[in-house]
């Protein structure tokens, strides 16, 4: 809805600062804000030096934020952020690892590689600061060695990691619209004939969800001949006039079997014309004829809704809530910045992180109940942030049989710890629940035990040593971006002593680290 | 035994939860369970069932596919499709029909699985809605520690995500509770001792309390939620030896009778208000029979056999207050869509926007069928109103003493369902 309003708004201005209407929002203190920016843009905590710098001079914060936008970690972080909306990182596709004769230990790697392909392409385009339009125009995709083996792509010999690759099966250049990962996630049946895929395109790229429209089938004409009705019944045509021509452009991804690896890895140029035959309509983009997938990306890029949707998507990702209709002016300002900067996503990310909604850490005393209900002034770490930060601090990453336990639901804890599974849970969790508390506790215990056992913390330190207090003060600052006070130091020292008395110093340090990793100041940002 | 002597909830847990009412005696409860006391067992049949095999006789239609050997029958006040291959259906209605209300002609307004699941459970096609069980659980005035337990099946949540307790696809919850999850790792670690864990919890709770004293508006929900979650975990810790939360299978499929038993064990201890189970059909093959239509019959036969076992289990249990648990529990049996009245080219049936739901037990006016399909397979209006997924939701919310008007604009409960 908001995307539609924005698209209908006045023509884009070339430059304009975001509208600032702080209302009841109270900004975070500079070190905590830097922490938020670092977690959102890099997935890790800021260094102690960086925190020191913004504490001493908050005006240095924008420069550090800009450096984060150029940090190589931005690309990986965007994969996770975009996954919350694109929902391609599912645990199950129609095809499984064994369909490609892969070893069982590659099950998780296979699932994530396939689901991340379109996300990696978008993230790379942002990381290279290329125009957002490239996501639907690029003549390449991203692949890792596993995909290089099983998909028709020219993966560089001797290459490592995710690399830009070209398709070798004759598919047109259409960025994510030509990706296997997107269409493995959004499949189509014999009777659906790519219509659900068309709906996915408009939802993801235009923020227009055809499937959210109320419909009824309760008419004889629809029941008697539904395929005829979509061409003649006014109620059906309201959506199908746009959906079917778009679906017609996707028949290069028409598979004769949903469970055939040979069918699903390849694009089928020879089937492109089947859409016209099966659906009875030629490919078109909202009434504008197109030749098929080869024109589709250009049609999307020529639609003003694509840009407003990009703004809405990033706003939701970073505000951790959807924007409201009352925030129309703020979104319009962001859109103008985005357009003025040649639709480069880094400029938009920069502008969004400047908004009061992003920077809010509290609400003023006069905030109304609706403000408290709407605003997310304190956000829970997402599973990828949690996993990454704990690993950076303790060296521990929770994996099992090759599965990242913070990043899957079949064996692990992604949704249980507040994440998105792409099917039933579409939005990140906002407040702690039982399973969240359990998973964060067990992860903290494992990380803490691992750090104490592997010497990441000097378990020889004990209360009374100067370094004992120094270590704790330093950890407090690093983990929370807040200075430790005497009361906390006293309490945590008492915890150390109580555990040490019966279980020794290593267990004592594990307990101290564990409670630090379970602290709300650590688990929120 | 007095309610405050109940061994399963500590005094601390009660105080923390503000749930003094959870175990307090209720006057006249045995005679008539309050709507606010109701608990709900949702049984989701994934894939889209063919209602013409049981719930919606189509013998009046010239165009609908009619199953060979099927006849229209009535038992326990329920008019249904009887067949020699499905003796458990007849037996169930004969024995339990007086507790069942079948709602037919429920229009879901989509034919896509994902969307239909969302619509039947939330009444809304747009993202950001909480489903009926999550809403019922979150608004339970007793504030049970495990409000909505998802043993299997979907859970659509937004505001109330933190009120949903997922057992996990492979039974992760019990492993997290007892700490064996830490061993289920490529780098195994050992959980802290019980003493250390208690010390850590105490430290953390004091820390959160301190933060709550200092926090400004807007920051409280997260801290309060954290404190509540810790309390809920501690409650569950005390029950881990009594509850069977691990996943059980029966032959080639999930054992939904065992899942229901787990749900009832939570209900009878006052720990949960809602639970979700999923029946994925014979050997987990689902109900999505675009071909192999005969599997619908297998599924129904098994489903009703399981339902009989589930209700027998329920009948033998006693609730927190000493009243029969069956007086508190409403069982909701549903599928996200129906199947077309006519066969497709593969002798199967494609998706259909009209489906049925069956409500059983507490608060339900049993022995009746509401709504139906006309000769073309279209849903018939009830009291002049086409029945949508939202109407099912309004009915369930009203059954649970949650005002539907606060959640569903202009949608009333389905007339006649509620006793």
């Amino acid at each position: 809805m908001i995307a539609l309003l924005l698209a209908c708004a006045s023509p884009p201005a070339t430059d304009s600062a975001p509208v600032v209407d702080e209302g009841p929002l109270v900004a975070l203190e500079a070190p905590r804000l830097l922490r938020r920016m670092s977690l959102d843009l890099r997935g890790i905590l800021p260094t102690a030096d960086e925190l020191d710098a913004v504490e001493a001079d908050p005006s240095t914060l924008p420069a550090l934020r800009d450096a984060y936008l150029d940090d190589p970690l931005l690309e990986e972080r965007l994969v996770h952020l975009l996954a919350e909306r694109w929902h391609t990182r599912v645990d199950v596709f129609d095809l499984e690892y064994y369909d490609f004769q892969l070893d069982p230990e590659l099950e998780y790697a296979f699932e994530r590689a396939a689901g991340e392909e379109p996300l990696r392409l978008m993230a790379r385009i942002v990381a290279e600061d290329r125009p957002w339009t490239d996501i639907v125009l690029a003549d390449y995709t991203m692949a890792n060695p596993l995909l290089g083996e099983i998909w028709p792509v020219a993966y560089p010999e001797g290459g490592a990691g995710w690399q830009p690759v070209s398709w070798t099966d004759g598919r047109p250049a259409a960025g994510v619209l030509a990706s296997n990962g997107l269409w493995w996630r959004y499949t189509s049946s014999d009777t659906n004939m790519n219509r659900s895929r068309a709906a996915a395109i408009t939802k993801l790229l235009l923020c227009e969800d055809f499937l959210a429209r109320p419909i009824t089938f309760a008419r004889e004409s629809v029941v008697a001949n539904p395929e005829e009705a979509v061409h003649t019944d006014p109620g059906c045509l309201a959506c199908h006039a746009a959906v079917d021509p778009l679906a017609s452009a996707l028949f290069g991804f028409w598979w004769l079997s949903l469970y055939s690896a040979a069918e699903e890895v390849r694009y089928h140029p020879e089937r492109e014309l089947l859409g016209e035959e099966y659906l009875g309509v030629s490919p078109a983009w909202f009434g504008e004829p197109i030749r098929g997938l080869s024109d589709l990306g250009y049609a999307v890029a020529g639609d003003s809704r694509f840009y407003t949707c990009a703004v809405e998507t990033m706003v939701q990702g970073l505000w951790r809530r959807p924007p409201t209709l009352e925030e129309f002016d703020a979104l319009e300002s962001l859109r103008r910045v985005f357009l003025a900067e040649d639709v480069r996503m880094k400029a938009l990310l920069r502008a969004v992180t400047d908004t009061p909604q992003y920077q809010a850490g509290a609400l003023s005393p006069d905030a109304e109940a609706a403000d408290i209900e709407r605003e997310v002034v304190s956000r829970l770490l997402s599973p990828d942030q949690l996993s990454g930060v704990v690993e950076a601090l303790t060296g521990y990453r929770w994996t099992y049989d090759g599965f990242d336990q913070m990043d899957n639901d079949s064996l692990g804890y992604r949704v249980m710890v507040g994440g998105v599974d792409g099917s039933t849970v579409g939005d990140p969790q906002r407040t702690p629940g039982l399973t969240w508390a359990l998973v964060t506790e067990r992860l903290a215990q494992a990380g803490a035990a691992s750090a104490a056992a592997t010497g990441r913390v000097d378990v020889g330190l004990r209360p009374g040593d100067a370094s004992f207090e120094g270590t704790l003060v330093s950890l407090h600052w690093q983990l929370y971006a807040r200075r430790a006070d005497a009361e906390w130091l006293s309490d945590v020292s008492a915890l150390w002593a109580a555990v040490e008395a019966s279980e020794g110093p290593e267990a004592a340090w594990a307990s101290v680290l564990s409670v630090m990793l379970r602290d709300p100041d650590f688990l929120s940002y | 035994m007095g309610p405050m002597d109940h061994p399963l909830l500590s005094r601390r847990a009660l105080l923390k939860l503000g749930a003094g009412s959870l175990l307090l005696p209720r006057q006249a409860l045995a005679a008539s369970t309050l709507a606010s006391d109701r608990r709900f067992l949702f049984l989701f049949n994934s894939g889209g069932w063919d209602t013409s095999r049981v719930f919606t006789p189509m013998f009046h239609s010239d165009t609908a596919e009619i199953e060979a050997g099927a006849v229209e029958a009535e038992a326990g006040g329920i008019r249904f499709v009887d067949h020699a291959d499905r003796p458990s259906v007849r037996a169930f209605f004969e024995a339990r029909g007086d507790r069942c209300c079948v709602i037919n002609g429920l229009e879901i307004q989509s034919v896509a699985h994902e969307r239909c699941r969302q619509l039947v459970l939330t009444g809304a096609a747009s993202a950001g809605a909480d489903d009926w069980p999550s809403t019922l659980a979150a608004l339970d005035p007793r504030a049970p520690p495990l409000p909505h337990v998802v043993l299997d099946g979907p859970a659509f949540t937004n505001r109330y995500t933190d009120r949903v307790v997922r057992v996990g696809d492979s039974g992760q919850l019990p492993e997290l509770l007892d700490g064996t999850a830490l061993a289920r790792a490529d780098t195994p670690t050992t959980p802290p001792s019980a003493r250390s864990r208690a010390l850590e919890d105490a430290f953390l709770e004091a820390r959160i309390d301190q933060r709550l004293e200092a926090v400004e508006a807007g920051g409280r929900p997260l801290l309060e939620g954290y404190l509540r979650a810790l309390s809920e975990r501690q409650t569950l810790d005390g029950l881990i030896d009594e509850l069977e939360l691990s996943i059980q299978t029966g032959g080639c499929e999930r054992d939904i009778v065992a899942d229901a038993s787990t749900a009832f064990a939570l209900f009878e201890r006052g720990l949960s208000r809602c639970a979700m189970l999923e029946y994925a059909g014979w050997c987990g093959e689902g109900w999505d029979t675009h071909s192999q239509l005969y599997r619908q019959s297998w599924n129904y036969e098994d489903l009703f056999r399981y339902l009989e076992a589930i209700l027998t289990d329920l009948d033998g249990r006693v609730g927190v207050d000493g009243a029969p648990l069956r007086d508190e529990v409403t069982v909701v049996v549903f599928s996200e869509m129906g199947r077309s009245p006519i066969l497709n080219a593969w002798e199967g049936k494609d998706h259909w926007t009209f489906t049925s739901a069956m409500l059983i037990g507490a608060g339900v006016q049993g022995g009746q069928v509401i709504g139906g399909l006309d000769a073309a397979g279209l849903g018939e209006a009830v009291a002049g109103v086409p029945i949508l997924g939202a109407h099912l939701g309004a009915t369930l919310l009203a059954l649970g003493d949650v005002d539907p008007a606060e959640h569903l604009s202009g949608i009333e409960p389905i007339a006649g369902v509620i006793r």
Side-chain angles (χ1 to χ4, degrees), chain A residues 399 411 502-503 511 518-519, chain B residues 186 193 195-196 200 207 226:
Chain A
T399 61
L411 295 175
S502 59
E503 300 181 49
S511 278
R518 294 171 66 196
D519 193 286
Chain B
D186 295 329
S193 67
R195 180 176 175 276
S196 291
E200 292 168 18
R207 171 83 167 153
Y226 198 173

Side-chain angles (χ1 to χ4, degrees), chain A residues 325-380:
Chain A
L325 286 173
E326 289 71 30
E327 289 163 327
F328 175 88
D329 288 345
L331 293 187
E332 174 58 11
S333 295
L334 292 167
R335 187 181 72 114
R336 292 180 182 209
V337 170
F338 187 42
L339 294 173
E341 296 288 338
D342 297 328
V343 296
R344 293 175 201 281
M345 191 56 79
K346 283 188 182 180
L348 179 60
L349 291 169
R350 188 178 295 114
V352 174
T353 57
D354 280 336
T355 57
Q357 291 92 336
Y358 178 79
Q359 298 191 353
L363 297 173
S364 59
D366 61 345
E368 297 176 359
D371 298 321
I372 296 173
E373 173 76 19
R374 180 186 65 250
E375 298 297 343
V376 186
V377 298
S378 186
R379 301 98 188 265
L380 295 180

Side-chain angles (χ1 to χ4, degrees), chain A residues 215-217 223 363 373 399-401 409-412 416 441-442 482 487 498 502-503 511 518-519, chain B residues 107 109 146 159 166 170 172 176-177 184 186 193 195-197 200-201 207 210-211 217 226 378:
Chain A
I215 57 169
T216 181
F217 291 74
V223 176
L363 297 173
E373 173 76 19
T399 61
Y400 178 57
D401 271 358
D409 301 302
S410 50
L411 295 175
M416 297 174 90
E441 179 192 9
R442 294 306 186 191
R482 287 191 169 122
E487 183 180 5
S502 59
E503 300 181 49
S511 278
R518 294 171 66 196
D519 193 286
Chain B
E107 186 180 3
Q109 300 183 292
L146 313 174
R159 285 176 65 190
R166 290 175 168 81
S170 55
Q172 293 96 317
L176 287 166
L177 281 167
R184 208 166 74 137
D186 295 329
S193 67
R195 180 176 175 276
S196 291
R197 196 183 188 201
E200 292 168 18
D201 278 354
R207 171 83 167 153
Q210 287 169 3
R211 298 287 298 142
Y226 198 173
L378 302 177

Side-chain angles (χ1 to χ4, degrees), chain A residues 43-377:
Chain A
I44 61 170
L45 297 173
T47 65
D49 287 345
E50 290 168 342
L51 291 171
D52 290 342
V54 296
E55 184 187 41
D57 180 5
S59 70
T60 59
L61 197 147
L64 283 166
R65 184 268 318 275
D66 291 349
Y68 293 167
L69 284 167
D70 290 328
D71 192 309
L73 291 172
L74 174 71
E75 186 171 338
E76 182 69 23
R77 176 67 191 125
L78 282 170
V79 170
H80 297 280
L81 197 62
L82 290 164
E84 288 180 355
R85 174 166 178 79
W86 285 68
H87 296 169
T88 56
R89 298 169 94 240
V90 292
D91 282 352
V92 179
F93 293 100
D94 289 334
L95 295 174
E96 301 275 5
Y97 66 95
Y98 47 75
D99 291 308
F100 297 90
Q101 291 79 50
L102 297 173
D103 292 336
E105 58 262 33
L106 291 175
E107 179 180 357
Y108 172 74
F110 165 77
E111 289 163 2
R112 285 297 166 271
E116 286 182 3
E117 180 220 348
L119 307 175
R120 297 266 169 197
L121 177 57
M122 290 187 282
R124 176 59 61 95
I125 286 164
V126 177
E128 293 184 342
D129 209 19
R130 300 185 59 79
W132 186 241
T133 43
D134 278 15
I135 72 163
V136 291
L137 297 175
D139 60 358
Y140 63 93
T141 189
M142 297 292 288
N144 63 7
L146 189 152
L147 294 182
E149 266 187 45
I150 63 175
W151 283 5
V153 293
Y155 189 83
E157 199 167 323
W162 287 92
Q163 302 277 347
V165 296
S166 55
W167 293 100
T168 59
D169 58 0
R171 71 183 68 191
V176 294
L177 299 171
S179 69
N180 278 357
L182 187 64
W183 303 131
W184 280 24
R185 167 62 181 85
Y186 298 100
T187 58
S188 182
S189 67
D190 291 338
T191 49
N192 180 263
M193 292 190 279
N194 286 326
R195 288 168 174 134
S196 59
R197 288 171 163 171
I201 288 174
T202 63
K203 180 182 177 183
L204 294 169
L205 296 175
L206 304 184
C207 296
E208 283 200 31
D209 190 355
F210 278 107
L211 295 175
R213 297 185 183 183
I215 57 169
T216 181
F217 291 74
R219 294 186 296 280
E220 289 279 352
S221 61
V222 179
V223 176
N225 191 340
E227 281 304 320
E228 175 67 19
V230 299
H231 297 293
T232 57
D233 184 282
C236 298
L237 277 168
C239 295
H240 283 272
V243 169
D244 285 19
L246 179 50
S248 184
L250 302 173
F251 272 71
F253 288 103
W254 182 250
W255 302 321
L256 301 181
S257 165
L258 279 180
Y259 305 98
S260 162
E263 278 288 302
E264 293 199 23
V265 299
R266 304 195 69 81
Y267 184 77
H268 303 277
E270 73 283 4
R271 297 174 191 166
E272 287 178 344
L273 297 178
L274 285 177
E276 194 160 345
E277 182 177 337
Y278 286 1
L279 290 164
V281 292
S282 301
W285 177 257
F286 291 90
E288 191 72 28
I290 58 176
R291 286 175 296 178
L293 185 60
S294 58
D295 283 353
L296 184 55
Y298 290 97
V300 173
D303 194 314
S304 62
R305 293 170 295 179
F306 172 62
Y307 306 98
T308 56
C309 184
V311 172
E312 194 176 322
T313 298
M314 279 304 159
V315 161
Q316 182 160 351
L318 293 176
W319 288 2
R320 310 307 284 163
R321 64 166 176 85
T324 66
L325 286 173
E326 289 71 30
E327 289 163 327
F328 175 88
D329 288 345
L331 293 187
E332 174 58 11
S333 295
L334 292 167
R335 187 181 72 114
R336 292 180 182 209
V337 170
F338 187 42
L339 294 173
E341 296 288 338
D342 297 328
V343 296
R344 293 175 201 281
M345 191 56 79
K346 283 188 182 180
L348 179 60
L349 291 169
R350 188 178 295 114
V352 174
T353 57
D354 280 336
T355 57
Q357 291 92 336
Y358 178 79
Q359 298 191 353
L363 297 173
S364 59
D366 61 345
E368 297 176 359
D371 298 321
I372 296 173
E373 173 76 19
R374 180 186 65 250
E375 298 297 343
V376 186
V377 298

Side-chain angles (χ1 to χ4, degrees), chain B residues 45-60:
Chain B
N45 293 272
S46 54
W49 56 16
D50 181 355
T51 60
S52 76
R53 288 295 183 269
V54 170
F55 300 117
T56 55
M58 294 297 289
F59 300 100
H60 59 298

